[in-house]
Amino acid sequence: PHPASARRVRAPAGLFPAPYPPEGPPERVVECFRLVGRLVGKALLDQRPLDLPLSPAVYKWMARRALSLADLRDVDPALHASLCKVLDMAARGEDVAALGLTWTLPGLPEVELVP
């Protein structure tokens, strides 16, 4: 395989940023987002296609549209299905607390999920 192709990211659900702590992302990350923003802006101005497979949720966020639980389906279908099942249980009055769930981001236990 070509060395450059070994570094490519394959993201079937599209690319999206990792969560950052409440105090915000490190300055280096902010600089990278600015660079990507300039790149996308220049591509739009020049009417050039840009092979940047962002998640539909990222495009929605960039358009300043509100995100919802339904947007999670595009990013992580399994997590979306699990959360929907828990919400259905709660709506039926079942004791969700008895499941002993931890409300953290899968793969990042230090990131607590909040409503």
Side-chain angles (χ1 to χ4, degrees), residues 24-91:
E27 186 57 34
R28 175 74 178 129
V29 172
V30 173
E31 290 172 15
C32 289
F33 275 108
R34 281 192 188 114
L35 175 63
V36 170
R38 288 183 182 126
L39 178 68
V40 170
K42 182 65 174 156
L44 288 170
L45 283 172
D46 293 346
Q47 297 182 356
R48 294 184 182 273
L50 189 61
D51 189 15
L52 186 62
L54 296 175
S55 163
V58 171
Y59 286 118
K60 190 174 176 182
W61 175 78
M62 287 170 43
R64 293 194 165 103
R65 293 176 46 209
L67 295 172
S68 68
L69 179 62
D71 295 306
L72 182 59
R73 185 178 327 126
D74 295 329
V75 176
D76 190 334
L79 179 59
H80 175 264
S82 294
L83 288 175
C84 285
K85 287 178 184 176
V86 170
L87 288 172
D88 287 344
M89 289 175 67

Side-chain angles (χ1 to χ4, degrees), residues 2-10:
H2 189 274
S5 66
R7 294 188 305 252
R8 289 194 182 131
V9 174
R10 303 239 184 263

